[in-house]
Amino acid sequence: MMEDGPPNSSAGQRGWFEARNGSGGSLDLESVVQPLALNPWDVVLCVSGTVISCENAVVVVVIFYTPAFRAPMFLLIGSLATADLLAGLGLILHFAFVYLVPWEALSLLTVGLLVTSFTASVCSLLAITIDRYLSLYNALTYYSERTVTRTYIMLVLTWGASVCYGLLPVMGWNCLKEPSACSVVKPLTKNHLLILSVSFFMVFGVMLQLYVQICRIVCRHAQQIAVQRHFLGSSHDVATRKGIATLAVILGTFASCWLPFAVYCLLGDSSSPALYTYVTLLPATYNSMLNPLIYAFRNQEIQKVLWAVCCGCVSPTMPFRSRSPSDV
């Protein structure tokens, strides 16, 4: 049988996981005061947080310091990168507060930061999906003031809802005084995690529906272009397959990273084996690691600025070709 904690650790030692004799364990986001044996899983999460922070910091800096990146598309990518940057910092800070500076108040604040940042990351992905859909569905009116206004509204709703979710455990909705109400992620309550999981499935359902519609629009546009240029053969098929493959990578990455953890949050409780929480949570953090590769570094304008910073071969103030969100 695989034990819940690291080898040679006592039942009273707790990292992110709290071992309970005969009752399994849960992801323990509660601060402790006793010296802890270093858990390898916590080290992996901390390293993941470091990589996530570095990647997304580059994206945030590039978008913030490049005047040309003020279009709605880049604002949403910047929101996603900011959320993922905070998630990475949250993983690092929580490791520090558990093993180096154990303090319950700071630990709860870090829990709130993690909930806020991961919620904002998922909601930013939804906002990007909505923006891509509208750029195709309303292509003629997309570049208007109404699009900018809609983008700011989505950003306010995204971060407003995320901050509210993150404040719940900090303001008292936690299981520190009622261990029986704990979820697989302590100190979040079972009901709190249930709300987060159901919200995720709702977001995933909307994203799936929108990407299906995007795929249909892309296929229809490719067919119309093929008819206008008098070729219906391989070129149309290649364009269609390329569009479908891109959408499959985007949605498949999101689902494979988050679905295991979301399902486990619905089925597990505080008595579930601690290992299961680590195994499902780690891929969820990888989504924040992959987002810059999918949404930012594939963008040609961002690539130009990165090359300019690295080798000085392109001016960062150079005019960019106007592109729609469906191009990235």
Side-chain angles (χ1 to χ4, degrees):
M1 293 292 292
M2 183 173 295
E3 296 179 355
D4 296 336
N8 301 323
S9 63
S10 65
Q13 288 178 321
R14 296 178 296 174
W16 276 19
F17 289 93
E18 180 180 50
R20 295 190 176 99
N21 292 332
S23 61
S26 64
L27 185 59
D28 187 2
L29 296 179
E30 176 189 3
S31 161
V32 295
V33 295
Q34 297 177 353
L36 299 174
L38 193 61
N39 191 323
W41 286 99
D42 293 337
V43 176
V44 173
L45 286 173
C46 184
V47 171
S48 298
T50 304
V51 176
I52 290 169
S53 300
C54 293
E55 279 186 318
N56 288 280
V58 171
V59 179
V60 171
V61 169
V62 166
I63 292 178
F64 183 80
Y65 284 102
T66 306
F69 294 161
R70 296 296 178 265
M73 171 183 64
F74 291 108
L75 292 178
L76 294 175
I77 293 176
S79 172
L80 175 63
T82 301
D84 290 333
L85 171 60
L86 293 176
L89 292 176
L91 292 173
I92 298 172
L93 290 175
H94 200 278
F95 180 88
F97 292 149
V98 167
Y99 288 99
L100 303 178
V101 190
W103 189 3
E104 184 177 288
L106 290 178
S107 181
L108 278 175
L109 288 175
T110 310
V111 172
L113 174 62
L114 287 170
V115 173
T116 298
S117 56
F118 281 124
T119 302
S121 177
V122 172
C123 291
S124 293
L125 290 175
L126 174 62
I128 290 175
T129 305
I130 294 174
D131 187 60
R132 286 181 168 181
Y133 170 75
L134 293 177
S135 72
L136 292 171
Y137 185 77
N138 297 320
L140 296 179
T141 60
Y142 177 78
Y143 295 98
S144 64
E145 290 297 325
R146 185 167 58 179
T147 299
V148 177
T149 302
R150 182 178 60 242
T151 301
Y152 282 115
I153 292 175
M154 288 194 295
L155 290 175
V156 170
L157 292 176
T158 292
W159 286 96
S162 301
V163 170
C164 289
Y165 274 134
L167 285 176
L168 291 178
V170 179
M171 301 301 294
W173 196 16
N174 55 63
C175 63
L176 296 182
K177 297 181 180 179
E178 191 178 356
S180 60
C182 286
S183 65
V184 295
V185 182
K186 189 177 180 180
L188 300 183
T189 65
K190 178 69 175 178
N191 290 336
H192 189 183
L193 207 58
L194 178 64
I195 293 175
L196 292 174
S197 298
V198 172
S199 300
F200 165 80
F201 283 109
M202 293 175 61
V203 169
F204 179 72
V206 174
M207 288 179 62
L208 180 61
Q209 178 64 25
L210 288 175
Y211 274 122
V212 169
Q213 297 300 322
I214 289 174
C215 186
R216 291 177 179 174
I217 295 174
V218 168
C219 292
R220 184 167 63 249
H221 285 182
Q223 185 176 13
Q224 292 173 349
I225 293 174
V227 170
Q228 292 174 358
R229 297 181 179 179
H230 305 290
F231 53 85
L232 287 170
S234 59
S235 297
H236 167 251
D237 294 336
V238 169
T240 302
R241 284 198 299 269
K242 182 179 179 181
I244 294 176
T246 300
L247 298 180
V249 169
I250 293 173
L251 198 59
T253 300
F254 177 68
S256 60
C257 288
W258 275 107
L259 276 179
F261 183 67
V263 172
Y264 181 63
C265 288
L266 294 177
L267 302 179
D269 55 32
S270 59
S271 64
S272 302
L275 178 65
Y276 297 168
T277 311
Y278 272 129
V279 170
T280 55
L281 176 62
L282 191 59
T285 65
Y286 288 163
N287 185 241
S288 296
M289 192 182 300
L290 295 173
N291 283 338
L293 303 179
I294 296 175
Y295 294 94
F297 296 145
R298 290 177 60 249
N299 182 277
Q300 291 184 8
E301 281 75 21
I302 293 179
Q303 290 177 6
K304 290 177 182 178
V305 174
L306 290 175
W307 277 111
V309 172
C310 293
C311 63
C313 55
V314 182
S315 173
T317 59
M318 66 175 294
F320 296 125
R321 180 178 68 88
S322 177
R323 302 181 64 178
S324 70
S326 57
D327 292 331
V328 295

